[in-house]
Amino acid sequence: MESTHHTIQPPILQRIGEHDLDYTHDPARVLRNFIVRGQRPFNAEPTLPLLVSDYITPSEVFFKRNHGPIPNIQLEHHQVFIGVQQADASGLVDWKALSMHDIMTKWPKTTITASLQCAGNRRDGLAKVKEVKGVIWGAGTISNAVWSGPRLCDILKDIAKVPKDLLHDMIRTFHVSFEADDHVKEDICYGSSIPLRKAMDPLGDVILAYEMNGQPLTRDHGFPLRVIVPGYIGARSVKFLQKILVQPQESLSFFQRRDYKILPPWIDSSNVESAWDTASSLGEMNVQCVICTPTEHEVVKSKAVTVKGYAISGGGRAIYRVELSLDGGHTWEGVDKIEQNPDPKSGMYWAWAIWEKKVAKINTSSELVVRAYDSSGNTQPEVPIWNYRGVMNNSIHRVANVIQMPQPSM
């Protein structure tokens, strides 16, 4: 007799047209901390000085990246469906369903500190080179938070029950796809995937987070449940999580197949449709470093100027050196301080580094430039490398026209 769990099926979502998406239930937002880049869907980044005022970003400062309306999900009714797709021609999936109570009580609660960064961070720099497709972000679509929830590898071992005789081959070739309980203009819902080897790596620290900075997730940040894929671009940390599927190919979602890819420089709006399948989907972040204060055209009223910013790299790699130039990149000096903390269990550097350097004098003609090196020796290109989607811009960051007011002698 067939067991009852074979009859479990996740809900079938219907695609909603862009003009029918309902934003009337979006949460109220305090906007004073943000530069708003879009209202529907709502997208906003904090100002750069505010961004680095704390090592752990408060939820009310954390950048907001959305692709559609914010779903109004009830914790007590929400279910997460987990399955493994057979690799044969049948493609059958044996689904299991978990309640939020299951997720919050049946597995150990793991806490990690990890930065999320939108792949489009600093897209404005590429837009200055040539037209790009996407929200024109500044350098504030990155934030650092403390996330809590069970490890995905523990849940997959217990619930998905990947066959032991197939585990080795599946780790090499399979993927884990995630789908949200939401509606977006580009697809039925938001979806993405990561390699199974990342999901099952106990040092990979992929978790299903229901808490952010010790509190339940806010609706803007994925309530009631989101994936946190540390070291990867933020697009893989799917919010409003409803489905997890182990499958023999990447997610078929628009956001995996036709977005978040570095396309060749000869691809633009005229020929992009033929190019998506030729480029790899983005995974790990590249090395990034940004000056957050002082800002362009800022007037500084102090004898010495503290230059401060963030740096980050993907894959859990540490930032081991940050260099600052006051003359447009002709000469360089190491910064005075770098704060970056590894995960206490895995030892991986999922969180950003906050760095600073005290400078005695900045001339009006000075151009501040910063670059970072990670523990693999990766650093940043001198000029932006343009691509049509405007992703992964990590060119050395420049700030000019800072005015330091002379101080009266005592």
Side-chain angles (χ1 to χ4, degrees), residues 201-219:
D201 183 356
L203 301 182
D205 288 330
V206 180
I207 67 171
L208 304 187
Y210 50 80
E211 286 183 2
M212 175 184 182
N213 296 341
Q215 299 294 323
L217 292 171
T218 66
R219 289 180 62 205

Side-chain angles (χ1 to χ4, degrees), residues 43-231:
N43 287 294
E45 60 185 298
T47 61
L48 291 180
L50 180 62
L51 178 63
V52 293
S53 59
D54 295 291
Y55 186 73
I56 302 298
T57 312
S59 61
E60 61 269 20
V61 175
F62 204 102
F63 77 95
K64 300 176 189 292
R65 177 66 172 118
N66 297 298
H67 292 271
I70 307 301
N72 192 11
I73 299 172
Q74 302 303 309
L75 179 73
E76 61 272 18
H77 301 308
H78 188 64
Q79 288 186 304
V80 177
F81 297 85
I82 302 176
V84 178
Q85 185 178 39
Q86 295 183 22
D88 58 26
S90 72
L92 293 175
V93 178
D94 181 15
W95 291 102
K96 313 290 195 306
L98 296 176
S99 68
M100 284 302 300
H101 183 265
D102 293 332
I103 290 170
M104 297 169 76
T105 61
K106 289 189 174 181
W107 290 274
K109 178 181 177 181
T110 296
T111 296
I112 63 169
T113 301
S115 299
L116 296 185
Q117 178 180 215
C118 178
N121 195 31
R122 299 183 61 198
R123 184 175 282 133
D124 58 349
L126 298 182
K128 293 174 182 177
V129 177
K130 189 178 175 182
E131 178 192 4
V132 294
K133 178 189 176 185
V135 179
I136 305 301
W137 295 108
T141 49
I142 180 174
S143 298
N144 189 48
V146 179
W147 311 95
S148 297
R151 293 183 184 276
L152 178 58
C153 61
D154 292 340
I155 293 178
L156 291 180
K157 287 176 184 176
D158 292 346
I159 299 299
K161 297 188 183 301
V162 175
K164 290 184 178 180
D165 59 331
L166 298 178
L167 181 60
H168 178 70
D169 286 339
M170 290 179 69
I171 286 288
R172 288 192 300 110
T173 61
F174 271 55
H175 300 260
V176 184
S177 72
F178 310 107
E179 289 188 5
D181 184 9
D182 69 354
H183 295 284
V184 296
K185 63 181 181 179
E186 298 92 345
D187 207 332
I188 295 173
C189 65
Y190 188 87
S192 194
S193 65
I194 60 173
L196 180 59
R197 62 181 178 273
K198 169 67 173 177
M200 297 301 292
D201 183 356
L203 301 182
D205 288 330
V206 180
I207 67 171
L208 304 187
Y210 50 80
E211 286 183 2
M212 175 184 182
N213 296 341
Q215 299 294 323
L217 292 171
T218 66
R219 289 180 62 205
D220 263 327
H221 297 118
F223 179 87
L225 190 70
R226 73 176 301 167
V227 189
I228 295 296
V229 186

